[in-house]
Amino acid sequence: YNSADRDKPLNYLLAATRAIPHLIMARLMLGDLYRERGSYDKAVDQYESLVKLDPYTWSNYYKLGVSYQFLDRLNDAATSYQSALKLNPDDPNSNMNLGLVFLYLGDPDEAVKYTERATLLDPRSASAFSNLGVALDARGDYVRAEAAYRHSLDLDAENSTTLLNLGTNLI
């Protein structure tokens, strides 16, 4: 699994889950391998099985949410992130991604709520502040959005997307 050859472990893990479908670690590793390859539909299959086998681990729901998000299954992603947050409300990434999903679903108030929480949980995350800025812009709170972008750039001055968003905000 940790070698450069990703096909061999993939085949072994598939064989293992066919023989013993309730192998939690094998499902997790398969989901991660598929997600790494960009095969989000196959990753979803593994993570959906995983959350049925192990519904008490927040990161399983988080990974399922990320895969749903890449497939543009936003309502499913929101449900998965909310499940992750029920188990671990202090995960900054689940909060940030849920905020982005709400933004894409057209609810900037909920987007601000969760992206703001992400910045409180991880005050060193440039992406959390940048995403907060996007959510604030969508809500029409341009002054606070500018401050969020500037704080993001204080943490990561080279982020071209944040620079573009700040420029758009200022215009």
Side-chain angles (χ1 to χ4, degrees):
Y1 179 80
N2 291 321
S3 72
D5 178 10
R6 303 307 246 169
D7 291 328
K8 190 180 285 187
L10 185 77
N11 292 328
Y12 284 132
L13 290 165
L14 282 170
T17 58
R18 283 188 196 110
I20 308 170
H22 61 275
L23 291 174
I24 291 172
M25 185 58 71
R27 295 274 180 201
L28 174 63
M29 294 169 87
L30 273 170
D32 291 349
L33 284 170
Y34 284 132
R35 197 168 54 126
E36 176 184 292
R37 290 177 168 209
S39 298
Y40 298 108
D41 52 338
K42 291 180 180 179
V44 161
D45 291 341
Q46 296 305 317
Y47 294 138
E48 284 177 343
S49 295
L50 183 61
V51 298
K52 288 176 187 167
L53 293 168
D54 179 14
Y56 305 107
T57 302
W58 68 270
S59 59
N60 296 339
Y61 290 100
Y62 171 77
K63 290 178 178 188
L64 178 59
V66 169
S67 299
Y68 281 143
Q69 196 169 353
F70 275 107
L71 291 172
D72 203 29
R73 292 175 56 181
L74 299 179
N75 289 315
D76 291 329
T79 300
S80 291
Y81 291 135
Q82 288 165 334
S83 295
L85 289 171
K86 283 180 187 170
L87 295 169
N88 182 9
D90 294 333
D91 176 45
N93 291 323
S94 294
N95 277 281
M96 183 177 65
N97 286 9
L98 181 56
L100 291 174
V101 166
F102 278 123
L103 185 64
Y104 302 144
L105 290 172
D107 190 344
D109 291 330
E110 285 296 296
V112 167
K113 173 182 162 184
Y114 285 100
T115 54
E116 195 164 48
R117 180 150 170 74
T119 65
L120 296 173
L121 293 168
D122 188 0
R124 305 277 315 139
S125 172
S127 61
F129 281 97
S130 183
N131 287 315
L132 173 60
V134 172
L136 288 164
D137 263 342
R139 192 167 75 179
D141 192 344
Y142 304 115
V143 172
R144 286 187 58 215
E146 177 187 348
Y149 292 135
R150 290 188 185 280
H151 189 76
S152 176
L153 290 169
D154 287 343
L155 297 169
D156 179 9
E158 302 300 315
N159 190 314
S160 59
T161 302
T162 304
L163 286 166
L164 177 63
N165 288 339
L166 174 59
T168 303
N169 169 277
L170 293 172
I171 291 171

